[in-house]
Amino acid sequence: MATTKEIKNRIKSVRDTQKITNAMYLISSTKVTKAKRELEQTRPYFDMLKEQLVSMIRLADNLKTDYLIASRPDETALEIMDEEGPRGTVGIIVITADKGLCGAYNQNVIKEAGKLIKEGEPHKLFVIGEYGRHYFMAHDDSLDQNFDYSNMDPTMDRAREIGDYVIDEFDEDRVQKLYIVYTAFGNGLTGGAAQSTELLPFAREDYVLDGEDRKKMSEGTEYLPDVVTVFNSIVPSYIKGFIYSAMVESFCSEQSARMTAMDAANDNAEDLLTSLNLEYNHVRQGAITREITEISAGSRAQKKAKALKKVRQK
């Protein structure tokens, strides 16, 4: 059984750890509030860009650009193309945290990315966050070694750099499709869920309108100098905005997951402290009882010795 000194040292250790988890909880809470505020300030602009892109895809029949395809291949077509050879390189942006202590946040993102990494299909990974980089360096040789970005305190400037890099990869035909895997923040209560979104190319079939709605949208719409130029100039801005939004949502989800993990750690620490205090009291009470017993036994022994001495003197 542990001594009172050992139990007191363990109680001190748990309390010191609890101070750290409390501090991490408060820091994460502050970071979530700040990141959400910044996202809310920029999101309306990029939502408007998306609306413009969608309206151009729906209205301009002559819109022909590398950023737009008519439709996505069906499963049977994919099987035929697989038999003939690879369908092209898939670029995957994966947003993870720089460190752990945030529950299953990183593992969920990596698992979602794994769904896009199909055996035999060429792919290229653009990983944001040190946790994901270390994982894929050990498990996947398709990691772009020149792509080295952190997801701590995401900014629009960093999103522009990342957007320029991956758009250049697409424009230079080094990747033919571009996905992003991130964690949507949702309502902020559960820390969000990992999901994947195809960024490029757009598919016209996803934005088809019937004749009446198309007629209403087309009234008073004009693009200068032409719709292709306008579309190609908006797409990079939209992609960078989406990346920024995904980075901020992932960052908020990471901090929310860390808050949940630290809150659970605090609760476990309280339970552990209760158990240790109870054990400490039991051990301390046992030690006091033994001391009283020893004192009583010693006192009785002395009384017997004195009585025996008196008898012998008589």
Side-chain angles (χ1 to χ4, degrees):
M1 181 179 290
T3 64
T4 54
K5 183 177 180 181
E6 291 172 340
I7 296 174
K8 285 178 71 175
N9 288 338
R10 192 175 180 193
I11 289 174
K12 183 179 181 300
S13 175
V14 172
R15 284 177 176 160
D16 289 342
T17 303
Q18 193 176 31
K19 290 177 184 178
I20 296 173
T21 56
N22 272 324
M24 292 180 68
Y25 178 91
L26 295 174
I27 291 170
S28 295
S29 176
T30 302
K31 288 183 176 180
V32 166
T33 303
K34 179 183 176 183
K36 283 174 64 179
R37 184 171 60 251
E38 292 177 353
L39 180 62
E40 289 169 358
Q41 291 172 352
T42 57
R43 177 170 276 168
Y45 171 72
F46 296 107
D47 288 342
M48 184 61 68
L49 285 182
K50 183 176 181 180
E51 289 179 14
Q52 291 300 318
L53 288 174
V54 171
S55 65
M56 282 186 275
I57 294 172
R58 286 173 170 172
L59 298 177
D61 294 326
N62 61 338
L63 180 56
K64 295 182 180 179
T65 170
D66 292 337
Y67 296 135
L68 180 66
I69 57 177
S71 61
R72 305 185 190 281
D74 58 26
E75 292 300 323
T76 55
L78 293 180
E79 292 175 4
I80 294 172
M81 294 174 75
D82 278 340
E83 293 174 359
E84 295 175 351
R87 302 194 300 273
T89 302
V90 177
I92 307 171
I93 304 171
V94 184
I95 303 177
T96 67
D98 286 335
K99 54 188 177 182
L101 296 177
C102 49
Y105 169 82
N106 290 304
Q107 288 75 16
N108 290 339
V109 175
I110 290 171
K111 186 184 298 182
E112 185 67 25
K115 297 177 183 178
L116 297 175
I117 301 173
K118 299 178 181 178
E119 186 176 355
E121 182 173 298
H123 60 276
K124 197 170 185 179
L125 294 170
F126 309 101
V127 181
I128 301 171
E130 288 303 312
Y131 189 100
R133 284 185 62 79
H134 291 159
Y135 176 87
F136 286 111
M137 283 176 66
H139 295 84
D140 197 308
D141 58 3
S142 298
L143 177 69
D144 189 324
Q145 299 292 342
N146 296 319
F147 190 90
D148 187 9
Y149 291 93
S150 166
N151 197 39
M152 287 299 294
D153 299 323
T155 62
M156 193 63 227
D157 288 338
R158 189 178 299 165
R160 289 192 186 99
E161 292 179 14
I162 294 170
D164 287 334
Y165 190 98
V166 296
I167 291 171
D168 183 64
E169 292 286 307
F170 185 87
D171 290 341
E172 296 297 326
D173 208 32
R174 289 189 283 268
V175 297
Q176 286 70 49
K177 289 189 289 185
L178 185 63
Y179 289 86
I180 185 168
V181 180
Y182 66 103
T183 307
F185 187 52
N187 57 16
L189 298 177
T190 59
Q195 63 183 41
S196 60
T197 301
E198 185 173 358
L199 293 179
L200 290 173
F202 294 92
R204 187 184 293 276
E205 68 175 359
D206 294 339
Y207 308 100
V208 174
L209 282 179
D210 59 34
E212 189 63 29
D213 291 334
R214 181 185 175 90
K215 182 178 179 181
K216 291 178 181 178
M217 283 190 65
S218 62
E219 294 176 355
T221 302
E222 184 178 4
Y223 300 100
L224 296 174
D226 58 74
V227 67
V228 175
T229 302
V230 175
F231 186 85
N232 286 342
S233 65
I234 291 179
V235 166
S237 295
Y238 168 71
I239 297 300
K240 294 169 190 176
F242 195 103
I243 291 172
Y244 174 67
S245 175
M247 289 173 64
V248 174
E249 286 205 46
S250 294
F251 182 73
C252 289
S253 297
E254 174 196 343
Q255 301 306 322
S256 179
R258 185 165 288 115
M259 287 170 61
T260 301
M262 294 303 100
D263 188 49
N266 287 334
D267 291 341
N268 291 337
E270 288 294 341
D271 293 341
L272 185 56
L273 286 173
T274 300
S275 176
L276 288 173
N277 283 323
L278 185 62
E279 182 181 357
Y280 174 79
N281 290 334
H282 284 167
V283 172
R284 180 171 174 272
Q285 187 62 46
I288 293 172
T289 302
R290 283 196 302 274
E291 289 177 1
I292 293 174
T293 302
E294 290 171 359
I295 291 171
S296 299
S299 176
R300 287 196 298 271
Q302 287 183 348
K303 288 180 179 179
K304 288 183 179 178
K306 288 180 180 179
L308 183 60
K309 186 177 179 179
K310 288 180 180 180
V311 169
R312 287 177 177 175
Q313 289 176 349
K314 292 179 180 179

